[in-house]
Amino acid sequence: MKFFVDTADVGEIRKALAWGILDGVTTNPSLVAKTGRRFEDVRAEILQLVSGPVSLEVTDMTFDGMLTQGRALAELGPQVVVKLPLTREGIAACKALTDEGIRTNVTLCFTASQALLAAKAGATYISPFVGRLDDVSTDGMGVIADIVQIYGNYGYATQVLVASTRHPMHIVAAAKLGAHVCTVPYKVLDQLFNHPLTDLGNAQFLKDWAKVPGQS
Ligand code: E4P
């Protein structure tokens, strides 16, 4: 399973890259706003750092506007994946951009039926938001299971990118279901490393090592 970091914070991306386990980055308008920086500056810096897929989202909600913005974003680098909302216009733009050879990530997906539309439009990625579904008492991972099954039934090439992940068990559940990608906040990526027995075991090994003659 691929790991993307879900952030527009360049410092977080740098730290995640240093671990050697990062495959790409997803951003959205809210994450960019959180940085307090200009989108132009943030995306340029991310594209300099990251060689894997980087999702950059359109903000014009018209079909023509999405095509214009999508094409301009795609020009910024071969890593760019154009992020489009799961609206009628977004799906039509997904089909048009896909036909031009531009990679797309259809976002704000909450149902398997929406995911089917994105696959039919040739999306590179579909982003179902599991955390936001869980927030409204709907089983986010159940939606992932349905999408994985449906895509498998028909051999769709669209990759399931599990989004809005909130804790390590979302990542484990997504991997068990065979989802292609998880996009994960930096804090949750960091949490994946943690286990108290790892810390205790390491402390004991170091303590014992100090007793080995000739070591300190
Ligand atoms: C996905 O690409 C979205 O940017 C993101 O995962 C949304 O997460 P949130 O529900 O925590 O805002």
Side-chain angles (χ1 to χ4, degrees), residues 129-187:
F129 279 29
V130 292
R132 293 194 197 185
L133 280 167
D134 290 353
D135 287 345
V136 293
S137 299
T138 302
D139 179 15
M141 280 301 157
V143 173
I144 300 300
D146 287 348
I147 298 170
V148 168
Q149 184 190 339
I150 291 167
Y151 282 11
N153 287 347
Y154 296 98
Y156 285 121
T158 302
Q159 296 185 44
V160 180
L161 194 172
V162 179
S164 186
T165 55
R166 302 272 166 82
H167 51 70
M169 291 314 290
H170 272 151
I171 286 76
V172 173
K176 284 166 83 173
L177 290 171
H180 304 84
V181 192
C182 263
T183 190
V184 187
Y186 173 79
K187 179 182 156 236

Short mmCIF file of all heavy atoms in Angstrom, two decimals, residues 129-187:
data_model
loop_
_atom_site.label_atom_id
_atom_site.label_comp_id
_atom_site.label_asym_id
_atom_site.label_seq_id
_atom_site.Cartn_x
_atom_site.Cartn_y
_atom_site.Cartn_z
N PHE A 129 -13.77 9.65 1.86
CA PHE A 129 -13.38 10.28 3.13
C PHE A 129 -13.89 9.44 4.32
O PHE A 129 -15.00 9.66 4.80
CB PHE A 129 -13.99 11.68 3.20
CG PHE A 129 -13.23 12.75 2.45
CD1 PHE A 129 -12.48 12.47 1.32
CD2 PHE A 129 -13.29 14.08 2.88
CE1 PHE A 129 -11.81 13.46 0.63
CE2 PHE A 129 -12.62 15.10 2.21
CZ PHE A 129 -11.87 14.79 1.08
N VAL A 130 -13.08 8.54 4.81
CA VAL A 130 -13.58 7.63 5.86
C VAL A 130 -13.85 8.34 7.19
O VAL A 130 -14.85 8.05 7.86
CB VAL A 130 -12.65 6.42 6.07
CG1 VAL A 130 -12.66 5.51 4.86
CG2 VAL A 130 -11.22 6.85 6.40
N GLY A 131 -12.97 9.25 7.58
CA GLY A 131 -13.13 9.92 8.88
C GLY A 131 -14.41 10.74 8.94
O GLY A 131 -15.14 10.72 9.93
N ARG A 132 -14.68 11.48 7.85
CA ARG A 132 -15.89 12.32 7.85
C ARG A 132 -17.15 11.45 7.84
O ARG A 132 -18.18 11.88 8.35
CB ARG A 132 -15.87 13.28 6.66
CG ARG A 132 -14.77 14.32 6.77
CD ARG A 132 -14.93 15.45 5.80
NE ARG A 132 -13.69 16.18 5.67
CZ ARG A 132 -13.54 17.30 4.95
NH1 ARG A 132 -14.57 17.80 4.29
NH2 ARG A 132 -12.37 17.90 4.89
N LEU A 133 -17.07 10.25 7.23
CA LEU A 133 -18.23 9.34 7.30
C LEU A 133 -18.40 8.83 8.72
O LEU A 133 -19.51 8.82 9.26
CB LEU A 133 -18.03 8.17 6.32
CG LEU A 133 -18.37 8.48 4.87
CD1 LEU A 133 -17.85 7.38 3.94
CD2 LEU A 133 -19.87 8.66 4.66
N ASP A 134 -17.30 8.39 9.34
CA ASP A 134 -17.38 7.91 10.73
C ASP A 134 -17.97 9.00 11.64
O ASP A 134 -18.74 8.69 12.56
CB ASP A 134 -15.99 7.52 11.25
CG ASP A 134 -15.43 6.25 10.59
OD1 ASP A 134 -16.16 5.60 9.83
OD2 ASP A 134 -14.25 5.93 10.84
N ASP A 135 -17.61 10.25 11.35
CA ASP A 135 -18.10 11.38 12.17
C ASP A 135 -19.62 11.48 12.18
O ASP A 135 -20.21 12.03 13.10
CB ASP A 135 -17.55 12.72 11.62
CG ASP A 135 -16.08 12.92 11.91
OD1 ASP A 135 -15.54 12.20 12.77
OD2 ASP A 135 -15.46 13.81 11.28
N VAL A 136 -20.25 10.98 11.10
CA VAL A 136 -21.72 11.07 11.04
C VAL A 136 -22.34 9.67 11.16
O VAL A 136 -23.37 9.36 10.56
CB VAL A 136 -22.23 11.80 9.77
CG1 VAL A 136 -21.84 13.27 9.80
CG2 VAL A 136 -21.70 11.15 8.48
N SER A 137 -21.66 8.86 11.97
CA SER A 137 -22.18 7.51 12.30
C SER A 137 -22.43 6.64 11.09
O SER A 137 -23.41 5.89 11.03
CB SER A 137 -23.47 7.62 13.13
OG SER A 137 -23.22 8.28 14.32
N THR A 138 -21.55 6.76 10.09
CA THR A 138 -21.63 5.89 8.91
C THR A 138 -20.28 5.19 8.79
O THR A 138 -19.24 5.83 8.98
CB THR A 138 -21.93 6.74 7.64
OG1 THR A 138 -23.14 7.44 7.88
CG2 THR A 138 -22.07 5.87 6.41
N ASP A 139 -20.31 3.90 8.49
CA ASP A 139 -19.09 3.10 8.48
C ASP A 139 -18.22 3.42 7.26
O ASP A 139 -18.45 2.90 6.17
CB ASP A 139 -19.50 1.62 8.50
CG ASP A 139 -18.30 0.69 8.47
OD1 ASP A 139 -17.17 1.17 8.71
OD2 ASP A 139 -18.49 -0.50 8.18
N GLY A 140 -17.24 4.28 7.47
CA GLY A 140 -16.35 4.68 6.37
C GLY A 140 -15.66 3.50 5.71
O GLY A 140 -15.58 3.40 4.49
N MET A 141 -15.18 2.57 6.54
CA MET A 141 -14.46 1.42 5.98
C MET A 141 -15.40 0.48 5.22
O MET A 141 -14.97 -0.22 4.30
CB MET A 141 -13.73 0.65 7.09
CG MET A 141 -12.45 1.32 7.48
SD MET A 141 -11.31 1.44 6.05
CE MET A 141 -10.30 2.81 6.61
N GLY A 142 -16.67 0.49 5.57
CA GLY A 142 -17.65 -0.29 4.82
C GLY A 142 -17.74 0.23 3.38
O GLY A 142 -17.85 -0.55 2.43
N VAL A 143 -17.66 1.55 3.24
CA VAL A 143 -17.68 2.15 1.89
C VAL A 143 -16.43 1.74 1.11
O VAL A 143 -16.49 1.42 -0.07
CB VAL A 143 -17.84 3.69 1.99
CG1 VAL A 143 -17.68 4.35 0.62
CG2 VAL A 143 -19.19 4.04 2.60
N ILE A 144 -15.29 1.72 1.80
CA ILE A 144 -14.03 1.29 1.13
C ILE A 144 -14.17 -0.16 0.65
O ILE A 144 -13.81 -0.49 -0.49
CB ILE A 144 -12.81 1.41 2.08
CG1 ILE A 144 -12.62 2.86 2.56
CG2 ILE A 144 -11.54 0.89 1.40
CD1 ILE A 144 -12.37 3.87 1.48
N ALA A 145 -14.72 -1.02 1.52
CA ALA A 145 -14.88 -2.44 1.15
C ALA A 145 -15.76 -2.55 -0.10
O ALA A 145 -15.44 -3.31 -1.03
CB ALA A 145 -15.49 -3.22 2.31
N ASP A 146 -16.85 -1.79 -0.14
CA ASP A 146 -17.74 -1.84 -1.31
C ASP A 146 -17.02 -1.38 -2.57
O ASP A 146 -17.14 -2.00 -3.63
CB ASP A 146 -18.97 -0.94 -1.08
CG ASP A 146 -19.94 -1.54 -0.08
OD1 ASP A 146 -19.80 -2.74 0.26
OD2 ASP A 146 -20.85 -0.81 0.36
N ILE A 147 -16.25 -0.29 -2.45
CA ILE A 147 -15.57 0.25 -3.64
C ILE A 147 -14.52 -0.74 -4.15
O ILE A 147 -14.44 -1.01 -5.35
CB ILE A 147 -14.93 1.63 -3.33
CG1 ILE A 147 -16.01 2.66 -2.95
CG2 ILE A 147 -14.13 2.13 -4.54
CD1 ILE A 147 -15.46 3.97 -2.41
N VAL A 148 -13.74 -1.31 -3.22
CA VAL A 148 -12.70 -2.27 -3.63
C VAL A 148 -13.36 -3.45 -4.35
O VAL A 148 -12.88 -3.90 -5.41
CB VAL A 148 -11.87 -2.74 -2.40
CG1 VAL A 148 -10.99 -3.93 -2.74
CG2 VAL A 148 -11.02 -1.60 -1.85
N GLN A 149 -14.48 -3.91 -3.81
CA GLN A 149 -15.18 -5.05 -4.44
C GLN A 149 -15.71 -4.67 -5.83
O GLN A 149 -15.51 -5.39 -6.81
CB GLN A 149 -16.33 -5.51 -3.55
CG GLN A 149 -17.02 -6.75 -4.12
CD GLN A 149 -18.32 -7.10 -3.38
OE1 GLN A 149 -18.52 -6.69 -2.23
NE2 GLN A 149 -19.17 -7.86 -4.04
N ILE A 150 -16.36 -3.52 -5.91
CA ILE A 150 -16.96 -3.10 -7.19
C ILE A 150 -15.87 -2.89 -8.26
O ILE A 150 -16.00 -3.35 -9.39
CB ILE A 150 -17.80 -1.82 -6.99
CG1 ILE A 150 -19.05 -2.15 -6.16
CG2 ILE A 150 -18.19 -1.19 -8.32
CD1 ILE A 150 -19.79 -0.94 -5.63
N TYR A 151 -14.79 -2.19 -7.88
CA TYR A 151 -13.71 -1.95 -8.85
C TYR A 151 -13.12 -3.29 -9.31
O TYR A 151 -12.80 -3.47 -10.49
CB TYR A 151 -12.62 -1.06 -8.25
CG TYR A 151 -12.94 0.43 -8.20
CD1 TYR A 151 -14.22 0.91 -8.46
CD2 TYR A 151 -11.95 1.36 -7.89
CE1 TYR A 151 -14.50 2.27 -8.41
CE2 TYR A 151 -12.22 2.72 -7.85
CZ TYR A 151 -13.49 3.17 -8.10
OH TYR A 151 -13.76 4.52 -8.05
N GLY A 152 -12.99 -4.23 -8.36
CA GLY A 152 -12.45 -5.55 -8.70
C GLY A 152 -13.38 -6.29 -9.66
O GLY A 152 -12.92 -6.95 -10.59
N ASN A 153 -14.68 -6.16 -9.43
CA ASN A 153 -15.65 -6.86 -10.29
C ASN A 153 -15.49 -6.50 -11.76
O ASN A 153 -15.71 -7.32 -12.63
CB ASN A 153 -17.10 -6.49 -9.89
CG ASN A 153 -17.52 -7.13 -8.58
OD1 ASN A 153 -16.85 -8.03 -8.10
ND2 ASN A 153 -18.62 -6.66 -8.01
N TYR A 154 -15.13 -5.23 -12.00
CA TYR A 154 -15.10 -4.75 -13.38
C TYR A 154 -13.68 -4.43 -13.88
O TYR A 154 -13.51 -3.99 -15.01
CB TYR A 154 -16.00 -3.51 -13.52
CG TYR A 154 -17.44 -3.87 -13.26
CD1 TYR A 154 -18.01 -3.65 -12.02
CD2 TYR A 154 -18.20 -4.49 -14.24
CE1 TYR A 154 -19.32 -4.03 -11.75
CE2 TYR A 154 -19.51 -4.86 -13.99
CZ TYR A 154 -20.07 -4.63 -12.75
OH TYR A 154 -21.34 -5.02 -12.50
N GLY A 155 -12.70 -4.64 -13.02
CA GLY A 155 -11.32 -4.40 -13.44
C GLY A 155 -11.01 -2.93 -13.70
O GLY A 155 -10.16 -2.61 -14.54
N TYR A 156 -11.68 -2.01 -12.98
CA TYR A 156 -11.36 -0.59 -13.15
C TYR A 156 -9.93 -0.30 -12.69
O TYR A 156 -9.48 -0.84 -11.68
CB TYR A 156 -12.32 0.29 -12.34
CG TYR A 156 -13.69 0.39 -12.93
CD1 TYR A 156 -14.81 -0.02 -12.21
CD2 TYR A 156 -13.89 0.90 -14.21
CE1 TYR A 156 -16.09 0.07 -12.75
CE2 TYR A 156 -15.16 0.99 -14.76
CZ TYR A 156 -16.26 0.57 -14.03
OH TYR A 156 -17.51 0.66 -14.57
N ALA A 157 -9.25 0.57 -13.42
CA ALA A 157 -7.86 0.89 -13.08
C ALA A 157 -7.76 1.97 -11.99
O ALA A 157 -6.69 2.21 -11.44
CB ALA A 157 -7.13 1.37 -14.33
N THR A 158 -8.87 2.63 -11.71
CA THR A 158 -8.87 3.71 -10.69
C THR A 158 -8.40 3.16 -9.34
O THR A 158 -8.87 2.12 -8.88
CB THR A 158 -10.30 4.29 -10.55
OG1 THR A 158 -10.70 4.78 -11.83
CG2 THR A 158 -10.34 5.41 -9.51
N GLN A 159 -7.45 3.88 -8.74
CA GLN A 159 -6.90 3.43 -7.45
C GLN A 159 -7.70 4.02 -6.29
O GLN A 159 -8.05 5.20 -6.31
CB GLN A 159 -5.44 3.86 -7.32
CG GLN A 159 -4.55 3.20 -8.37
CD GLN A 159 -3.09 3.55 -8.15
OE1 GLN A 159 -2.58 3.54 -7.02
NE2 GLN A 159 -2.39 3.86 -9.23
N VAL A 160 -7.95 3.17 -5.30
CA VAL A 160 -8.70 3.62 -4.11
C VAL A 160 -7.73 4.29 -3.15
O VAL A 160 -6.80 3.65 -2.63
CB VAL A 160 -9.42 2.43 -3.44
CG1 VAL A 160 -10.21 2.91 -2.21
CG2 VAL A 160 -10.33 1.72 -4.44
N LEU A 161 -7.94 5.59 -2.94
CA LEU A 161 -7.07 6.41 -2.10
C LEU A 161 -7.87 6.76 -0.84
O LEU A 161 -8.75 7.63 -0.89
CB LEU A 161 -6.67 7.67 -2.89
CG LEU A 161 -5.55 8.57 -2.43
CD1 LEU A 161 -5.25 9.63 -3.48
CD2 LEU A 161 -5.78 9.21 -1.09
N VAL A 162 -7.62 6.05 0.23
CA VAL A 162 -8.42 6.24 1.45
C VAL A 162 -8.01 7.57 2.09
O VAL A 162 -6.85 7.77 2.44
CB VAL A 162 -8.21 5.05 2.41
CG1 VAL A 162 -9.01 5.25 3.69
CG2 VAL A 162 -8.60 3.75 1.72
N ALA A 163 -8.99 8.47 2.21
CA ALA A 163 -8.72 9.83 2.69
C ALA A 163 -9.48 10.10 3.99
O ALA A 163 -10.31 9.30 4.40
CB ALA A 163 -9.12 10.84 1.62
N SER A 164 -9.13 11.24 4.59
CA SER A 164 -9.74 11.63 5.86
C SER A 164 -9.47 10.56 6.93
O SER A 164 -10.34 10.23 7.72
CB SER A 164 -11.25 11.85 5.66
OG SER A 164 -11.85 12.36 6.82
N THR A 165 -8.24 10.03 6.91
CA THR A 165 -7.85 9.05 7.93
C THR A 165 -7.52 9.79 9.22
O THR A 165 -6.94 10.88 9.19
CB THR A 165 -6.65 8.21 7.45
OG1 THR A 165 -5.58 9.10 7.11
CG2 THR A 165 -7.00 7.37 6.24
N ARG A 166 -7.90 9.20 10.34
CA ARG A 166 -7.77 9.91 11.62
C ARG A 166 -6.89 9.21 12.64
O ARG A 166 -6.54 9.79 13.65
CB ARG A 166 -9.17 10.09 12.23
CG ARG A 166 -10.15 10.85 11.34
CD ARG A 166 -10.03 12.35 11.59
NE ARG A 166 -10.69 13.11 10.54
CZ ARG A 166 -12.00 13.36 10.50
NH1 ARG A 166 -12.78 12.90 11.44
NH2 ARG A 166 -12.51 14.07 9.52
N HIS A 167 -6.64 7.89 12.42
CA HIS A 167 -5.87 7.13 13.41
C HIS A 167 -5.25 5.90 12.75
O HIS A 167 -5.69 5.50 11.66
CB HIS A 167 -6.75 6.76 14.61
CG HIS A 167 -8.03 6.10 14.21
ND1 HIS A 167 -8.08 4.83 13.68
CD2 HIS A 167 -9.31 6.56 14.22
CE1 HIS A 167 -9.34 4.52 13.42
NE2 HIS A 167 -10.10 5.55 13.72
N PRO A 168 -4.26 5.28 13.41
CA PRO A 168 -3.57 4.14 12.78
C PRO A 168 -4.49 3.00 12.36
O PRO A 168 -4.23 2.34 11.36
CB PRO A 168 -2.59 3.69 13.88
CG PRO A 168 -2.29 4.94 14.63
CD PRO A 168 -3.59 5.70 14.67
N MET A 169 -5.58 2.75 13.08
CA MET A 169 -6.44 1.62 12.72
C MET A 169 -7.17 1.85 11.40
O MET A 169 -7.57 0.88 10.74
CB MET A 169 -7.42 1.29 13.86
CG MET A 169 -6.73 0.71 15.09
SD MET A 169 -5.51 -0.59 14.71
CE MET A 169 -6.57 -1.92 14.16
N HIS A 170 -7.35 3.11 11.00
CA HIS A 170 -7.89 3.35 9.65
C HIS A 170 -6.92 2.80 8.60
O HIS A 170 -7.34 2.24 7.59
CB HIS A 170 -8.07 4.86 9.41
CG HIS A 170 -9.39 5.40 9.85
ND1 HIS A 170 -9.55 6.71 10.25
CD2 HIS A 170 -10.63 4.84 9.91
CE1 HIS A 170 -10.84 6.92 10.55
NE2 HIS A 170 -11.50 5.79 10.36
N ILE A 171 -5.64 2.98 8.84
CA ILE A 171 -4.63 2.57 7.85
C ILE A 171 -4.58 1.04 7.79
O ILE A 171 -4.53 0.44 6.71
CB ILE A 171 -3.25 3.18 8.18
CG1 ILE A 171 -3.23 4.68 7.85
CG2 ILE A 171 -2.14 2.52 7.37
CD1 ILE A 171 -3.91 5.59 8.75
N VAL A 172 -4.63 0.40 8.98
CA VAL A 172 -4.60 -1.07 9.02
C VAL A 172 -5.85 -1.63 8.32
O VAL A 172 -5.76 -2.55 7.50
CB VAL A 172 -4.52 -1.56 10.49
CG1 VAL A 172 -4.67 -3.07 10.56
CG2 VAL A 172 -3.21 -1.12 11.12
N ALA A 173 -7.00 -1.06 8.62
CA ALA A 173 -8.25 -1.56 8.00
C ALA A 173 -8.20 -1.37 6.48
O ALA A 173 -8.61 -2.26 5.73
CB ALA A 173 -9.45 -0.82 8.60
N ALA A 174 -7.68 -0.25 6.04
CA ALA A 174 -7.60 0.02 4.59
C ALA A 174 -6.66 -0.99 3.92
O ALA A 174 -6.95 -1.50 2.83
CB ALA A 174 -7.10 1.44 4.34
N ALA A 175 -5.55 -1.30 4.60
CA ALA A 175 -4.59 -2.26 4.03
C ALA A 175 -5.21 -3.66 3.96
O ALA A 175 -5.02 -4.40 3.00
CB ALA A 175 -3.31 -2.27 4.86
N LYS A 176 -5.98 -4.03 5.01
CA LYS A 176 -6.62 -5.35 5.00
C LYS A 176 -7.62 -5.47 3.86
O LYS A 176 -7.84 -6.55 3.31
CB LYS A 176 -7.31 -5.61 6.35
CG LYS A 176 -6.31 -5.97 7.45
CD LYS A 176 -6.91 -5.90 8.82
CE LYS A 176 -7.66 -7.15 9.20
NZ LYS A 176 -8.07 -7.10 10.62
N LEU A 177 -8.22 -4.36 3.49
CA LEU A 177 -9.20 -4.38 2.40
C LEU A 177 -8.53 -4.31 1.03
O LEU A 177 -9.20 -4.41 0.01
CB LEU A 177 -10.18 -3.20 2.55
CG LEU A 177 -11.15 -3.33 3.73
CD1 LEU A 177 -11.92 -2.02 3.91
CD2 LEU A 177 -12.12 -4.48 3.50
N GLY A 178 -7.22 -4.07 1.01
CA GLY A 178 -6.51 -4.01 -0.27
C GLY A 178 -6.60 -2.67 -0.96
O GLY A 178 -6.41 -2.60 -2.19
N ALA A 179 -6.92 -1.59 -0.22
CA ALA A 179 -6.92 -0.25 -0.84
C ALA A 179 -5.51 0.05 -1.36
O ALA A 179 -4.52 -0.37 -0.76
CB ALA A 179 -7.36 0.79 0.18
N HIS A 180 -5.44 0.80 -2.45
CA HIS A 180 -4.13 1.05 -3.07
C HIS A 180 -3.28 2.05 -2.28
O HIS A 180 -2.06 1.93 -2.21
CB HIS A 180 -4.30 1.59 -4.49
CG HIS A 180 -5.13 0.71 -5.36
ND1 HIS A 180 -6.50 0.74 -5.38
CD2 HIS A 180 -4.75 -0.24 -6.24
CE1 HIS A 180 -6.93 -0.17 -6.26
NE2 HIS A 180 -5.90 -0.77 -6.79
N VAL A 181 -3.94 3.08 -1.74
CA VAL A 181 -3.24 4.21 -1.12
C VAL A 181 -4.00 4.67 0.11
O VAL A 181 -5.23 4.62 0.14
CB VAL A 181 -3.19 5.44 -2.07
CG1 VAL A 181 -2.21 6.49 -1.56
CG2 VAL A 181 -2.88 5.06 -3.50
N CYS A 182 -3.26 5.15 1.12
CA CYS A 182 -3.88 5.89 2.24
C CYS A 182 -3.22 7.25 2.25
O CYS A 182 -1.99 7.34 2.21
CB CYS A 182 -3.57 5.23 3.57
SG CYS A 182 -4.86 4.16 4.15
N THR A 183 -4.01 8.29 2.32
CA THR A 183 -3.41 9.60 2.59
C THR A 183 -3.63 9.90 4.06
O THR A 183 -4.74 9.77 4.59
CB THR A 183 -3.91 10.72 1.66
OG1 THR A 183 -3.07 11.86 1.88
CG2 THR A 183 -5.38 11.08 1.84
N VAL A 184 -2.53 10.25 4.72
CA VAL A 184 -2.49 10.23 6.18
C VAL A 184 -1.94 11.56 6.71
O VAL A 184 -0.89 12.01 6.24
CB VAL A 184 -1.55 9.07 6.64
CG1 VAL A 184 -1.62 8.89 8.13
CG2 VAL A 184 -1.88 7.76 5.93
N PRO A 185 -2.62 12.18 7.69
CA PRO A 185 -2.03 13.39 8.30
C PRO A 185 -0.67 13.04 8.90
O PRO A 185 -0.46 11.90 9.36
CB PRO A 185 -3.03 13.76 9.39
CG PRO A 185 -4.29 13.05 9.05
CD PRO A 185 -3.90 11.82 8.30
N TYR A 186 0.24 14.02 8.94
CA TYR A 186 1.58 13.78 9.47
C TYR A 186 1.52 13.17 10.88
O TYR A 186 2.25 12.22 11.18
CB TYR A 186 2.39 15.09 9.50
CG TYR A 186 3.70 14.91 10.19
CD1 TYR A 186 4.77 14.32 9.53
CD2 TYR A 186 3.85 15.27 11.53
CE1 TYR A 186 5.97 14.09 10.18
CE2 TYR A 186 5.05 15.05 12.18
CZ TYR A 186 6.11 14.46 11.51
OH TYR A 186 7.29 14.23 12.15
N LYS A 187 0.63 13.70 11.69
CA LYS A 187 0.53 13.22 13.10
C LYS A 187 0.21 11.71 13.14
O LYS A 187 0.75 10.98 13.96
CB LYS A 187 -0.57 14.03 13.82
CG LYS A 187 -0.80 13.64 15.23
CD LYS A 187 -1.94 14.46 15.86
CE LYS A 187 -2.53 13.68 17.02
NZ LYS A 187 -3.95 13.44 16.93
#
